[in-house]
Amino acid sequence: MQGPYLGYRLLMAVILSVTLMVLDYRFERVDGFRQMLSSILTPIQWLSDLPQSMMSWGGTSLKTREQLLDENDALQVQIAVLERKVQKLVALAVENNRLRELLNASSQIDDSVIVAELIGINPDPFVHQVMLNKGNSDGVQVGQAVLDSNGLMGQVIEVSELTSRVLLISDTAHAVPVQASRNGVRAIAVGKGSIGELELANVPDTADIREGDLLISSGLGGRFPAGYPVAEVASVRHDPGQPFASVLVRPSAKLNQSRLVLIVFKGKERSSFQKIDSELESSGEER
């Protein structure tokens, strides 16, 4: 019974198939049925493909995650490199600005100058001294004035072949003759041991010194050339019954910030050296 029954079923299936094909070809009557059948079978097809889709998605996800981790590591390295370059560029920009300021400062003075770089600071908090990278081989001598782009910093007190030591104007052992640019009143600016504050010694109570006055080097004594900014008057206090006023001033130079400075040569001090000013100009061009 199995054989004839199966053959009968096969025959009926063939007849039905041929009939449906003829109807579909000649009369297009089975479109709706085909769409309905397709809708019914779609979930079954989706379920049958689900394992393969899951395996494919899992493999892609793992691969994508590894790629993202690799890309993230590469980006972190690039960020670190770029940040270092940015920091270097910022430092170079600041140094270039300082060189431009020094060039502008040197163009405003008549004396010859060379550029020096600060290479050391005295660790004693009560001694305000710095070391520069210029010495006898560059013509530096004891007593020369040292400036930054804003004003007088101090004077050379010791010279070796390749370096020199500078006493800052804020040191308690330093004093510089000054005069007010507004009216020419003279005084002596002495260090107090504070990097940001000096005082004027023995200023008569009746002297015309006002807050905000610019004090410049007077040139008296022959140690410092005249006309360099030294300090600005910060406060003036008059005590009743006292013969002298208490005058505090702020240094014009950035004593605790400047790294590039100018060493001043008066007159023909540097006549035997041919690098007057050319060193400053070449330094600016290299930057």
Side-chain angles (χ1 to χ4, degrees), residues 19-269:
T19 303
L20 291 175
M21 286 189 292
V22 171
L23 291 174
D24 183 42
Y25 179 73
R26 297 297 299 272
F27 303 103
E28 299 181 356
R29 299 293 181 86
V30 293
D31 289 344
F33 178 75
R34 183 190 297 111
Q35 293 176 1
M36 181 183 66
L37 186 61
S38 177
S39 299
I40 294 173
L41 294 178
T42 296
I44 299 174
Q45 294 174 344
W46 184 81
L47 289 174
S48 64
D49 190 57
L50 182 60
Q52 179 64 29
S53 299
M54 292 294 293
M55 293 179 62
S56 177
W57 176 82
T60 303
S61 298
L62 292 176
K63 183 178 180 180
T64 303
R65 184 174 182 276
E66 292 177 357
Q67 290 176 343
L68 288 175
L69 290 175
D70 292 340
E71 290 178 1
N72 184 63
D73 292 340
L75 289 174
Q76 291 294 336
V77 172
Q78 291 179 5
I79 289 173
V81 172
L82 291 175
E83 286 179 345
R84 183 191 64 81
K85 289 183 178 179
V86 168
Q87 293 172 359
K88 187 66 175 179
L89 289 174
V90 170
L92 289 174
V94 171
E95 191 168 357
N96 283 337
N97 289 334
R98 289 174 179 170
L99 282 172
R100 292 192 187 97
E101 291 173 352
L102 287 172
L103 286 169
N104 292 334
S106 66
S107 65
Q108 297 173 5
I109 59 181
D110 296 327
D111 302 302
S112 300
V113 296
I114 61 171
V115 177
E117 184 175 3
L118 190 148
I119 58 174
I121 301 175
N122 194 310
D124 189 342
F126 301 103
V127 178
H128 294 190
Q129 296 180 6
V130 298
M131 185 77 70
L132 303 181
N133 66 343
K134 300 294 182 182
N136 276 328
S137 60
D138 300 282
V140 179
Q141 300 176 9
V142 172
Q144 288 183 260
V146 177
L147 314 171
D148 70 359
S149 59
N150 297 284
L152 184 68
M153 288 189 66
Q155 61 176 306
V156 178
I157 59 172
E158 181 182 325
V159 180
S160 65
E161 185 64 23
L162 299 176
T163 63
S164 55
R165 188 178 300 276
V166 175
L167 182 69
L168 299 180
I169 60 175
S170 57
D171 192 274
T172 55
H174 194 281
V176 54
V178 297
Q179 66 182 36
S181 61
R182 178 174 58 86
N183 54 15
V185 172
R186 293 188 293 272
I188 303 294
V190 298
K192 294 184 57 181
S194 173
I195 203 71
E197 190 176 66
L198 312 176
E199 65 178 346
L200 299 186
N202 303 325
V203 177
D205 190 63
T206 57
D208 184 13
I209 297 290
R210 304 175 187 175
E211 184 176 337
D213 280 350
L214 175 63
L215 303 178
I216 59 176
S217 55
S218 65
L220 298 179
R223 174 67 70 178
F224 298 100
Y228 295 132
V230 177
E232 180 181 329
V233 177
S235 66
V236 180
R237 190 178 75 249
H238 300 277
D239 294 328
Q242 297 296 325
F244 302 109
S246 176
V247 182
L248 300 180
V249 300
R250 289 186 297 267
S252 298
K254 297 179 180 179
L255 302 180
N256 61 344
Q257 297 180 24
S258 295
R259 187 177 182 86
L260 296 175
V261 299
L262 300 174
I263 301 177
V264 182
F265 290 83
K266 296 184 296 182
K268 298 182 179 180
E269 283 181 350

